Amino acid sequence: MTAHDSAILTRSIAAGGTAFAALGVLCFSFTFPATSWALDGFGPWTITGLRGVLAAVLAGVCLAVRRVPLPARSDWPGLLAVAGGCVVGFPLLSTLALRTSSTAHSAVVIGMLPLATAALSGLRTGARAPRMFWWAALAGAVVVLAFTLQQSAGRPSLADGYLFAALLVCAAGYAEGGRLAQRMPGWQVVAWGVLAALPATALTCVLALPAEPLHLTPHSMVGLGYLAAVSQFGGFVAWYGGMAAIGVLRASQLQLAQPLLTVCWAVLVLGERLPAAVPVTALAVVACIAVTQRVRG
């Protein structure tokens, strides 16, 4: 293979990885509206438990059909971080926040998540990026944070505490999942992650179902189904696959677009009013993403 052919192959892999990561972002962008739907019929603890259990059933079937062997012992600490951060921690904390916080305000979690993920990944793996990458990542986070805080008048609340904690645990789960996806398929990372969390999510179901109100509605069922099949499993298949191809640092910055997508879904699906600042914010975020995707470490 010539150097020219190798360069073309590298660019093709990067383009495919970017597409997979972007698909994951698109899937995740509907998580908060789906959670709002699910809250119509289920309590926050019940939602967390059921979405984890249903995703584990789906993951178990996929692993069994493909006859995937157990991960190596050295991979389990990372898988437990994925389970704790992405399967239990973030779903529960963000759902608790959405009981009193609007979808647009809750997007502040996603606005800061890319920077937190990149920082934790750098600390965990020692990966370094050019200074321009960090300036663009920080600028994108500041733009999204300013937008979401402006929409909520910047008043801290208990929901903000839940969101900040959700941000930290999810970033840790993303960073560990992206690292594991370098040596095992991304779908296996999330599959083993939801299975590792099954004892906790199953126990949560057993305790929460009789304790929280239950009112089954079409919206609540569709919302729960989306959370289990897409937010908790399918979206992560694309997300970790993209991370494996283009790296955690570059993939994480694509999530700068997620809060804006979430706001658009909130307008189209939940009937919320579209803030006038969205177009300007969108252009600024796209510019920051373009810089992070072009710089090379």
Side-chain angles (χ1 to χ4, degrees), residues 10-189:
T10 299
R11 285 195 296 269
S12 298
I13 293 174
T18 300
F20 269 110
L23 177 60
V25 170
L26 180 61
C27 291
F28 294 151
S29 69
F30 198 73
T31 296
F32 283 174
T35 302
S36 295
W37 276 0
L39 282 168
D40 286 343
F42 303 96
W45 290 87
T46 302
I47 292 173
T48 302
L50 285 177
R51 68 183 277 182
V53 169
L54 293 173
V57 171
L58 181 59
V61 170
C62 292
L63 290 169
V65 169
R66 297 296 297 272
R67 297 183 179 179
V68 178
L70 287 171
R73 182 178 299 179
S74 60
D75 291 333
W76 280 105
L79 291 171
L80 290 175
V82 172
C86 301
V87 186
V88 178
F90 183 83
L92 176 60
L93 292 165
S94 60
T95 303
L96 289 171
L98 281 166
R99 292 185 305 170
T100 57
S101 178
S102 69
T103 299
H105 179 73
S106 296
V108 69
V109 175
I110 306 304
M112 294 300 294
L113 187 55
L115 183 61
T117 301
L120 288 178
S121 177
L123 291 173
R124 180 70 174 85
T125 66
R128 296 189 176 186
R131 185 174 299 176
M132 181 58 69
F133 174 94
W134 291 109
W135 280 117
L138 181 60
V142 168
V143 167
V144 175
L145 179 60
F147 167 73
T148 51
L149 288 180
Q150 185 272 330
Q151 294 303 307
S152 62
R155 292 189 295 269
S157 64
L158 177 60
D160 293 320
Y162 286 135
L163 294 171
F164 182 72
L167 158 70
L168 294 179
V169 297
C170 190
Y174 278 177
E176 284 299 308
R179 182 182 65 83
L180 290 172
Q182 299 292 330
R183 58 175 181 268
M184 73 170 68
W187 75 269
Q188 292 183 22
V189 174

Side-chain angles (χ1 to χ4, degrees), residues 185-214:
W187 75 269
Q188 292 183 22
V189 174
V190 63
W192 288 116
V194 294
L195 283 176
L198 184 57
T201 53
L203 179 61
T204 300
C205 285
V206 170
L207 296 177
L209 276 170
E212 292 184 327
L214 183 64

